[in-house]
Amino acid sequence: MDPSKKVQTSKALSWLLRHGAVQERLQIGSDGFVSIEQILQHQRFRGKCTLMDIEDIVRTDKKIRFTLQTNKETGKLEIRANQGHSITNLDGLELEPIRSSAELPNGWAVHGTYHSVLPNIRLQGLSRMSRVHIHLSPHEPGDHRIISGLRPNVQVLVYVDVDKAILGGISFFKSANDVILSEGNSSGLIEPKYFLKIKDIRTGENLL
């Protein structure tokens, strides 16, 4: 597959599995899996890519966005997005619960963001917005262990005190591609009282 077409196909696949499956009337399991058969018959993919193309996208994706499996009951090949969903009621994503900061390499989780939205974050906290989860990373930018969960062009880092947040009733999970996920509180927020610091990446200044 042509590299530019491969990127376009990967983005379309990501959108469909994370956000569009229900509105596009695809059958999606509670574990987030959709049959490859459905994908290849969808208008965005029909006649434009093959099973081999999708397998190549999954195999070469450095952020490990997708998982392929064979359904044990139907024998059909299926695919799902590992994280980033806005589709609700997916309770079988096989997310690993985090019980304390001791399970994280640095003892904290960090969210990357931008100066333009920082005033609202300092006032209300981190929000899951239209997604099911707030995305965080167990590592800082530049760490070779980062797979996904932290964009390379972020300007500000918000460090979360995971233990304090857990004591406050907030849950954290780890996805298959090592992204730390949280639904936040009942309003979908990780409040500022759970922040350790807010660091300006360029200056190193604490903006909390």
Side-chain angles (χ1 to χ4, degrees), residues 93-107:
L93 290 175
E94 300 179 34
L95 302 178
E96 180 183 338
I98 295 173
R99 292 172 290 273
S100 79
S101 63
E103 298 178 15
L104 298 171
N106 296 296

Side-chain angles (χ1 to χ4, degrees), residues 76-90:
K76 293 183 177 180
L77 189 63
E78 302 175 323
I79 187 171
R80 78 169 172 205
N82 286 324
Q83 38 79 211
H85 300 83
S86 62
I87 301 171
T88 57
N89 301 319
L90 299 181

Side-chain angles (χ1 to χ4, degrees), residues 70-191:
T70 300
N71 187 297
K72 294 180 180 179
E73 295 182 2
T74 66
K76 293 183 177 180
L77 189 63
E78 302 175 323
I79 187 171
R80 78 169 172 205
N82 286 324
Q83 38 79 211
H85 300 83
S86 62
I87 301 171
T88 57
N89 301 319
L90 299 181
D91 54 8
L93 290 175
E94 300 179 34
L95 302 178
E96 180 183 338
I98 295 173
R99 292 172 290 273
S100 79
S101 63
E103 298 178 15
L104 298 171
N106 296 296
W108 41 251
V110 63
H111 177 84
T113 188
Y114 305 91
H115 285 293
S116 60
V117 295
L118 187 55
N120 195 50
I121 289 174
R122 293 174 67 180
L123 180 65
Q124 295 185 343
L126 297 175
S127 172
R128 67 183 182 219
M129 307 295 284
S130 61
R131 292 188 176 187
V132 177
H133 296 104
I134 299 162
H135 291 201
L136 306 105
S137 171
H139 310 292
E140 293 180 318
D143 194 303
H144 70 279
R145 291 170 292 181
I146 291 179
I147 300 173
S148 186
L150 198 59
R151 293 179 178 177
N153 65 338
V154 295
Q155 300 167 325
V156 179
L157 298 175
V158 181
Y159 295 78
V160 174
D161 187 329
V162 172
D163 284 334
K164 187 176 180 181
I166 289 174
L167 287 174
I170 294 176
S171 298
F172 294 87
F173 302 89
K174 185 170 73 171
S175 71
N177 56 345
D178 206 31
V179 176
I180 308 303
L181 304 171
S182 177
E183 295 180 358
N185 61 16
S186 59
S187 299
L189 298 169
I190 298 178
E191 298 167 272

Side-chain angles (χ1 to χ4, degrees), residues 7 11 30-31 54 92 138 159 193:
V7 170
K11 288 182 177 180
S30 61
D31 54 6
I54 292 178
Y159 295 78
K193 64 183 179 181

